[in-house]
Amino acid sequence: MTSPANPGAHQQALDAFKDILGAEHVLTAEHTTAPYSKGYRFGGGPLLAVLRPTTLVQMWKVLQVCVNHNFMVIPQASNTGLTGGSGPGFQDYDRPIVLMSTHLINQVHLINDAHEAISLAGATLTHLTEELTPHGREPHSVIGSTSIGASVIGGIANNSGGSQIRKGPAFTREAIYARVTVEGKVELVNHLGIALGDDPEVALDKLQRGDWSPADVTPAPEDTSETEYAEHLRKVEPTPARYNANPKYLFEASGSAGKILIFAVRTRTYPLEKNPTTFYIGTHTPQELEGIRRLFLSADMPLPIAAEYMGRTAFDLAEKYGKDTYVFLKHLSPKVQTRMFAFKTWANGVFGKVPGIGPTFADTVSQRAFDLLPSQLPARLLDYRNRFEHHLQLTVSAAQAAESEAMLKAFFGQEGHTGDFFICTADEAKSATLNRFGAASAATRYASMKRKELGELIPIDVALRRDDWDWLEVLPPEIADQLDTAAYYGHFFCHVMHQDYVAKKGVDPHKLHDDIQELLEARGAKLPAEHNYGRLYRMPEAMVEHFKELDPTNTFNAGIGGTSPKRDWA
């Protein structure tokens, strides 16, 4: 709920927003704000308005109006988050909420011979990838959320880790952003490493136009394919490798979770991997995969590029309930993919209000249509699905391909090892990757389409200890009996797992989530790992204090992580 309305003051603010942005970029009708207020899985709370600035200067100006009228502000780029943190929840808010959507500010400026990139507020990973490819470079994230239009800044703000073993969490110390001081004043902080002057509006205008000289820019870091995270990951220690509350990866914009208004971030880029080799591995026991993990972590060669785990249940969900996503990602351009996902969100929102249809109209139509098609996966992947319970997709650089193959042959040649592997063709590698990254959306669709028969989806994003041999959980009967389905997949070498549970009808999803979290934390795991707290997880006190330093008046994205939704953290 929100505080009592003050129509006169609210209308003054709305008029000011329209003067700055134009009326077409100030959305107030529920049917126009709904696609922004509802996240991919959670959210949908009330909004006074959605603002859609097209320039950084407009962002700065409307923020001033919001602060002057004591509005709460939620920054949002692409609204692709999985824990509801980029939209309002249903908390006891004491102020009207304004959501600032930055997706129309999508410029990217490449600097230092494309070894670094300046990504503005709404720049997507897809757009950054397109800009970098002609230069033989790639961004931090190359698949997964890239495919659904996720933003660069969203990844930085959530410390997203992704599949890239060598690179670690999305992180930067170089950003330009607005914060609200303890006195309630808006201030611009420029730690971008580019001299833009002291006047905020002049600086933001220059930034958007790329109006600076090379002498205004600090030098790029050393160009490597790895970060310090690679050596950190090699240490098989009784602590998780990466998680959202890790203070090492919290700095201003990085891990900020919407508690400041970010105008741009500066991130390094990486040499584009040419002709990598992908091994598809199947086993009957999780411990065999852990043996392979430790074998490669201790090897005297660069780490693999990626190592993605998928259990058979997750494979089956993705193959059946993610078939349309798989086809779209495999055969359509990134721009068309983004439009398709946006259209699906719009259609579900529109038809969800029609009696008798419900909120999964587009998903239902697409699911029924694609159910008529045979499996789209290559034959060898389906064969391994039938033969093995546990699957690992291991991708290495071309220079490590021969040595990696020899290591795997020797490993499975040992007495007692029952798994097997094959070297993927280019089509098999792409197909395996898309099936793996379709698992998250497949679990969501499964739960949505069976909402009348089953309970809610309970997603868990967990960072396991790096030394945990028994990494795959075995739930006690009192919890397992409450579940219809449990699907496991994740970034295996980092021991970051995504665990999707669909509860039986009548089960309390919040209690079940807390019970599973308690079991995981008793094993030394940390939650969440890379999706941030959103409206799903309760953050530890150290994180609360960190966010109070970033946002002392609780102006931005109040209420995330179970914190106070009220002004000044009341």
Side-chain angles (χ1 to χ4, degrees), residues 254-289:
S254 295
S256 58
K259 296 301 291 180
I260 53 179
L261 182 62
I262 305 170
F263 296 103
V265 293
R266 176 176 173 176
T267 55
R268 57 174 297 189
T269 69
Y270 300 85
L272 185 65
E273 288 286 345
K274 297 179 180 178
N275 302 315
T277 295
T278 295
F279 301 94
Y280 200 86
I281 300 165
T283 71
H284 297 293
T285 63
Q287 287 74 20
E288 279 192 16
L289 292 187

Side-chain angles (χ1 to χ4, degrees), residues 7 63 83 88 152 189 196 198 208 215-216 258 280 306 312 321 339 344 366 371 380 397 487 492 521 548 554 569-570:
L63 176 60
T83 59
V152 177
V189 180
L196 296 168
D198 296 326
Q208 186 153 9
D216 296 326
Y280 200 86
R312 181 182 282 161
Y321 290 95
R339 291 184 188 130
K344 185 190 81 168
S366 187
D371 275 345
R380 285 204 290 183
S397 297
F492 185 59
E521 289 176 338
K548 285 182 177 179
N554 210 16
W569 302 87

